[in-house]
Amino acid sequence: MPPIEKDRYYSLQLIDLYTNNVDYPGTRVDGNDGGDFLITGPGWKGDIPTRIKRVVEMPTTLAIGIIRTQLFSPDDLENVEQIQAGYKATLLSVYAETPASAPPPSVDWLPISDDLMITNYWALAAFLLQFAPPYPGDETPRANLAKLGVQKGATWSGADLSPETVKLMNAVAVATEKEIRDEAARLTDSSKLFGTPEFMKGRFMVRAAAAQGGIYGNSVQEALYVIYAVDAQEAPLDGRRARYTLTLTPETLPPVEAFWSLTMYDRPKQFLVDNPVDRYLINSPMLASLQKSADGKIVLYLQHESPGAALESNWLPAPSESFYAVMRLYLPTASALDGHWKPPAIQAVPQ
């Protein structure tokens, strides 16, 4: 990771196959001086080059890394591109100029889709177990799965089980997928949804629902999410029913050490909302351009139609249907983490 200026946020979120956040090389953990980090698979042993800043052992052999680099404004894009050009992933053998390890065996990947995750769930689960050793303490449920033929290195077909057992297992996959989606729709407290393997230990439904509702979310120390699904009267947000406002005061501005943002999504597809001004979020770097009252209040307008040219700087376009918004606080301060800061509510303005 390249060194960057002190006031810019960046991070490498390292996520294992269970969707747990294993580590965060970057601003919060390591500062902005950059460095070389060695990322290994589970149980790796070997010589560590002296230039390595620290070692991160991933608990699973499949993992993902997501890099975030703060953009201050559209004029800052070239600077971000230069930083991005400095991120590099290199095999240890190339980095250390040592003989290369033997390549891993090729994998005959199973086809996968949303539908197959339900209809072919147990075969896919058995396939993925080869990349996901059990966490300490999960040996018993893993052994119970093995009794049903769901085990590392096995191709599950159900042929060794009774038809009644296979029927029940397939029914459980369908019912549990619905349960996960229903639970995901109820999630509001992001501080308990994502975290390290230790933090998420044994919380299987929360982990599954969080992945369904917002996969690869950050641990709360890195980013606190405020999920706005309802207004102050607990009514679901819906552009057909009302216009909305969100008022920020000097006391309720999100307390962060990096930056904050408020992003708009349509509820049916969970996508950003197309709009005539190409605005999908309002964030802290935009504060200087937002309209403010004499006492420092900032009223944001969350609605489908423009609030008028004079107020358009404070407009976050919403769809003409159900929607939700997410406020993200990157590097939240202690007041946000301990609950002293209360996020302001979204107020409905009847049509």
Side-chain angles (χ1 to χ4, degrees):
M1 296 183 71
I4 63 170
E5 61 268 51
K6 297 301 181 185
D7 61 343
R8 189 188 299 274
Y9 168 89
Y10 71 163
S11 67
L12 169 58
Q13 179 189 8
L14 293 170
I15 311 159
D16 69 13
L17 191 55
Y18 294 105
T19 68
N20 292 323
N21 297 323
V22 177
D23 211 323
Y24 277 95
T27 299
R28 177 176 63 87
V29 179
D30 304 287
N32 284 15
D33 292 335
D36 300 331
F37 300 83
L38 175 58
I39 302 169
T40 79
W44 176 85
K45 303 294 183 185
D47 295 328
I48 301 171
T50 56
R51 291 174 293 160
I52 293 296
K53 193 165 188 174
R54 59 188 183 87
V55 178
V56 179
E57 180 178 323
M58 301 302 293
T60 59
T61 57
L62 281 184
I64 187 171
I66 299 176
I67 294 178
R68 294 176 174 88
T69 311
Q70 184 176 3
L71 175 73
F72 293 123
S73 68
D75 296 337
D76 186 42
L77 186 58
E78 184 176 337
N79 296 324
V80 169
E81 289 175 344
Q82 290 178 357
I83 294 170
Q84 289 176 326
Y87 297 125
K88 291 181 171 60
T90 307
L91 288 172
L92 178 60
S93 58
V94 175
Y95 177 88
E97 298 180 341
T98 57
S101 302
S106 61
V107 176
D108 186 11
W109 297 99
L110 293 182
I112 190 168
S113 67
D114 286 345
D115 291 338
L116 288 171
M117 279 295 294
I118 303 171
T119 60
N120 202 33
Y121 174 79
W122 297 107
L124 285 167
F127 173 79
L128 288 173
L129 289 183
Q130 65 183 297
F131 308 108
Y135 288 146
D138 288 350
E139 293 85 0
T140 297
R142 185 66 68 88
N144 289 336
L145 286 174
K147 295 175 183 177
L148 298 171
V150 182
Q151 55 189 325
K152 170 185 173 181
T155 300
W156 189 89
S157 65
D160 297 332
L161 303 170
S162 69
E164 293 79 11
T165 298
V166 173
K167 181 178 179 181
L168 179 59
M169 290 176 68
N170 289 333
V172 164
V174 173
T176 303
E177 194 270 346
K178 181 180 184 305
E179 185 181 359
I180 290 169
R181 288 185 177 273
D182 290 345
E183 181 65 21
R186 293 190 290 265
L187 298 177
T188 56
D189 186 356
S190 70
S191 66
K192 299 180 175 63
L193 303 184
F194 306 100
T196 63
E198 295 77 16
F199 180 76
M200 300 303 297
K201 184 177 176 61
R203 302 170 63 219
F204 304 114
M205 178 53 72
V206 171
R207 193 176 71 201
Q212 173 62 52
I215 196 168
Y216 308 143
N218 281 291
S219 302
V220 67
Q221 296 83 2
E222 201 74 23
L224 173 65
Y225 303 95
V226 179
I227 303 170
Y228 286 108
V230 298
D231 62 23
Q233 286 69 47
E234 299 294 323
L237 301 177
D238 194 321
R240 294 164 293 195
R241 184 178 65 85
R243 293 172 290 133
Y244 300 90
T245 62
L246 178 66
T247 301
L248 301 173
T249 68
E251 294 75 29
T252 62
L253 275 174
V256 295
E257 295 180 5
F259 65 95
W260 61 264
S261 64
L262 181 70
T263 308
M264 175 69 63
Y265 301 92
D266 70 26
R267 177 161 286 285
K269 301 183 183 69
Q270 297 179 253
F271 288 156
L272 299 175
V273 176
D274 190 24
N275 64 84
V277 294
D278 288 334
R279 183 178 298 153
Y280 309 98
L281 59 77
I282 289 177
N283 60 16
S284 49
M286 299 167 62
L287 278 174
S289 65
L290 300 178
Q291 293 276 352
K292 301 178 183 66
S293 64
D295 58 357
K297 290 182 180 178
I298 301 170
V299 179
L300 304 180
Y301 300 91
L302 284 62
Q303 56 190 61
H304 184 61
E305 303 295 338
S306 169
L311 300 174
E312 204 161 87
S313 64
N314 294 29
W315 178 34
L316 182 56
S320 57
E321 58 180 336
S322 61
F323 68 90
Y324 67 101
V326 179
M327 181 180 284
R328 293 174 170 87
L329 286 70
Y330 272 82
L331 303 190
T333 65
S335 64
L337 294 173
D338 64 19
H340 280 81
W341 173 78
K342 303 296 183 185
I346 289 179
Q347 302 287 345
V349 181
Q351 302 277 36

